[in-house]
Amino acid sequence: MSEYILTENLHLGMTPAGTYYAVQDHTEEPGRLFLHRLLQEAVTPLFTVEVACELSGYKKKRALEFVHWMQEAGLILGQEHSEAAPTETLERLLPKLLRTLSDEGKAILAESRGLYLGSAGFTHEAAEELAALSANLTAVYARHKELLHGNLGYRQRAWGLVDASGNSEVGFWPLYIGQNRFTLIIGGIPQFNQPDFKRLVWALEMRYGNTEIPV
């Protein structure tokens, strides 16, 4: 039987991969629930058995096994220093974060009704049209989900316009936060494997994780 050693003085942080896993689908799974609970913490918690139990919903031994699995999967990590969620308003935060998520500096965050909340690198008119298009693509996916997700087994929900080499010219990536769905629209190649992607999702989770946007 494996022995689990509690490493003291390490804070429980999330990797960009863990962030992506948390929000790319809304199917309730133990790992996804763990990550959403972690994202609702304003400051990364100091890792203890009690924290492991609270975030996982399991008792001590199973909780430690689960945390070990999450770490082995590259979804969480131990950090020597605590990290705080962004405190700026989304209006000020979004333009700075969005431009880092594309190799062309072009990105939009839209909500489920097809209205954009923030934009970088696109004109106002283009941002409005692409945000509206994102809502239409969501409706298309909903109509054909049984085929795409069920019969064909495609796990991804993103849509894209690709060139002859398969590279995305513009992509539409769903982000599920609480009861809300957002779409991250990226011009060019997405740059998700970085801290700013986590900061964006963390800010959205703190703002909308327990709030539903009126439809």
Side-chain angles (χ1 to χ4, degrees):
M1 183 180 296
S2 299
E3 295 293 329
Y4 295 92
I5 300 174
L6 183 61
T7 303
E8 296 181 350
N9 300 322
L10 284 182
H11 295 265
L12 193 58
M14 190 179 307
T15 65
T19 306
Y20 182 79
Y21 174 75
V23 298
Q24 58 96 24
D25 198 337
H26 56 64
T27 304
E28 288 194 0
E29 297 175 351
R32 187 166 289 121
L33 291 173
F34 180 103
L35 294 169
H36 277 294
R37 290 171 186 144
L38 182 56
L39 284 167
Q40 290 176 11
E41 298 285 341
V43 179
T44 51
L46 194 64
F47 181 66
T48 64
V49 173
E50 290 74 18
V51 166
C53 293
E54 180 180 348
L55 294 177
S56 67
Y58 296 127
K59 294 184 179 180
K60 179 179 177 180
K61 181 179 181 296
R62 181 71 181 96
L64 293 178
E65 290 176 342
F66 189 75
V67 169
H68 177 73
W69 176 84
M70 295 281 285
Q71 186 173 7
E72 288 294 302
L75 303 178
I76 59 174
L77 75 166
Q79 299 173 309
E80 292 186 0
H81 304 288
S82 65
E83 186 178 1
T87 56
E88 292 181 85
T89 63
L90 286 177
E91 290 76 11
R92 298 187 62 180
L93 188 66
L94 286 178
K96 294 186 293 185
L97 294 182
L98 288 172
R99 67 171 52 96
T100 69
L101 302 182
S102 158
D103 68 334
E104 299 178 0
K106 301 169 67 176
I108 301 164
L109 181 70
E111 45 98 283
S112 60
R113 295 171 296 180
L115 304 175
Y116 79 91
L117 302 178
S119 175
F122 288 100
T123 65
H124 169 69
E125 293 76 13
E128 282 191 326
E129 293 292 337
L130 287 170
L133 176 57
S134 73
N136 293 336
L137 290 174
T138 298
V140 170
Y141 180 85
R143 287 199 300 272
H144 299 284
K145 180 180 178 180
E146 185 174 345
L147 168 66
L148 297 172
H149 188 73
N151 295 350
L152 297 177
Y154 295 146
R155 304 289 295 177
Q156 297 298 323
R157 297 167 178 259
W159 295 84
L161 295 177
V162 298
D163 61 21
S165 300
N167 298 314
S168 174
E169 294 187 350
V170 61
F172 299 78
W173 307 80
L175 304 177
Y176 294 94
I177 307 289
Q179 299 300 312
N180 305 293
R181 182 194 55 78
F182 300 89
T183 301
L184 193 54
I185 305 166
I186 303 291
I189 300 175
Q191 308 290 307
F192 293 156
N193 191 25
Q194 55 150 319
D196 277 348
F197 176 62
K198 181 181 71 173
R199 293 184 68 223
L200 171 66
V201 170
W202 200 357
L204 291 174
E205 188 79 48
M206 295 298 295
R207 174 64 179 84
Y208 295 108
N210 295 307
T211 303
E212 186 171 358
I213 298 176
V215 177

